Amino acid sequence: MFSQVVQYFQSNSGQYWQYVGQHLFLTLVTLAISMVIALPLGYLGSRLKPVASFCVAFAQVLRIIPSLALLFLLIPVIGTGMVPALIALVVLALPPLLINTILGFNEVSPLYKEVGTALGMTSRQLRRQIEIPLALPYVLNGIKLAIVEIIASATLATYIGAGGLGTLIFTGLGLYDMTYIVIGAVSVAALSLGAMLGFDFLIRKVRKHDKSSYSI
């Protein structure tokens, strides 16, 4: 198996990195779109209970929709390619982003806001200097969960012609060749693990900074 993997990279390294690039592009674009939608909506949900209730219910509904089923439902409407894959992945990424954004802003202690108000801060200053920094670890955790979900689910985008590392996995399944499956699966797992460890490190740094900056 090891020699077959080495042989694949010797003869197909350019193709492999093309798949990695497609996978990362799909992941990053999906994450960017999801954040543009979820972060403002989550912040609004932390301020208005009806919006929060809607976001939670919406996130719960999205969680029960299988990603593969959503992909196939979009094919008759939009067709195949990048666009339906992006829509399906955005739908999968929204729940953790929405829930963690609402949770993060709700967890900001009123005491910090009272101190800021007493110091003469405006609502904009309170939001920028107190609320967002203190909610950031929760928001980052939501982003971490979302990006891991996207990386794993993006393998299914191969079914509708969006490319990515899933091409290796499904090629291996079609050819009954474990070499392709192992390379694709290990690559997806490595990307997911790298993203998770990177965000865990960033969250720890932000929390450490918050403790030193906002200790009362």
Side-chain angles (χ1 to χ4, degrees), residues 1 17 25 55 57 62 76 97 106 129 131 139 175 184 186:
M1 173 65 71
W17 289 112
F25 176 79
C55 289
L62 294 183
L97 286 170
N106 283 340
Q129 298 180 33
E131 291 182 288
V139 175
L175 298 175
V186 170

Side-chain angles (χ1 to χ4, degrees), residues 15-27 71 80-86 89 150-171 184 188 191:
Q15 184 184 59
Y16 170 79
W17 289 112
Q18 182 181 0
Y19 292 147
V20 172
Q22 291 172 348
H23 208 94
L24 290 175
F25 176 79
L26 193 60
T27 297
L71 283 171
T80 60
M82 186 70 69
V83 173
L86 283 172
L89 292 173
I150 295 167
I151 291 171
S153 299
T155 56
L156 299 175
T158 300
Y159 266 126
I160 56 174
L165 290 167
T167 306
L168 289 171
I169 297 174
F170 292 114
T171 299
V188 172
L191 287 176

Side-chain angles (χ1 to χ4, degrees), residues 59-135:
Q60 290 174 343
V61 170
L62 294 183
R63 281 176 172 170
I64 66 175
I65 302 175
S67 53
L68 186 57
L70 185 60
L71 283 171
F72 283 124
L73 287 172
L74 289 172
I75 290 175
V77 181
I78 306 177
T80 60
M82 186 70 69
V83 173
L86 283 172
I87 293 173
L89 292 173
V90 166
V91 169
L92 292 172
L94 285 177
L97 286 170
L98 282 171
I99 297 300
N100 281 274
T101 301
I102 294 172
L103 177 63
F105 283 102
N106 283 340
E107 287 294 314
V108 177
S109 173
L111 179 60
Y112 294 112
K113 299 178 187 179
E114 292 174 6
V115 171
T117 302
L119 293 173
M121 287 185 176
T122 64
S123 58
R124 179 176 294 183
Q125 289 174 324
L126 286 172
R127 184 166 57 250
R128 290 180 59 185
Q129 298 180 33
I130 295 179
E131 291 182 288
I132 291 177
L134 290 175

Side-chain angles (χ1 to χ4, degrees), residues 121-215:
M121 287 185 176
T122 64
S123 58
R124 179 176 294 183
Q125 289 174 324
L126 286 172
R127 184 166 57 250
R128 290 180 59 185
Q129 298 180 33
I130 295 179
E131 291 182 288
I132 291 177
L134 290 175
L136 188 57
Y138 296 90
V139 175
L140 289 173
N141 189 57
I143 296 173
K144 179 189 76 173
L145 296 174
I147 198 170
V148 170
E149 179 74 27
I150 295 167
I151 291 171
S153 299
T155 56
L156 299 175
T158 300
Y159 266 126
I160 56 174
L165 290 167
T167 306
L168 289 171
I169 297 174
F170 292 114
T171 299
L173 290 172
L175 298 175
Y176 299 99
D177 190 337
M178 285 299 297
T179 302
Y180 290 95
I181 297 173
V182 168
I183 293 172
V186 170
S187 298
V188 172
L191 287 176
S192 298
L193 182 62
M196 184 174 63
L197 293 176
F199 272 96
D200 282 340
F201 174 78
L202 185 58
I203 290 168
R204 286 196 299 270
K205 295 289 286 185
V206 170
R207 283 179 173 160
K208 183 178 179 181
H209 178 267
D210 286 347
K211 286 181 181 179
S212 61
S213 299
Y214 296 97
S215 57

Side-chain angles (χ1 to χ4, degrees), residues 17-54:
W17 289 112
Q18 182 181 0
Y19 292 147
V20 172
Q22 291 172 348
H23 208 94
L24 290 175
F25 176 79
L26 193 60
T27 297
L28 294 176
V29 172
T30 300
L31 184 64
I33 295 171
S34 303
M35 288 173 62
V36 168
I37 297 170
L39 298 188
L41 191 58
Y43 176 78
L44 188 61
S46 69
R47 293 292 176 269
L48 302 172
K49 287 186 178 180
V51 177
S53 299
F54 168 79

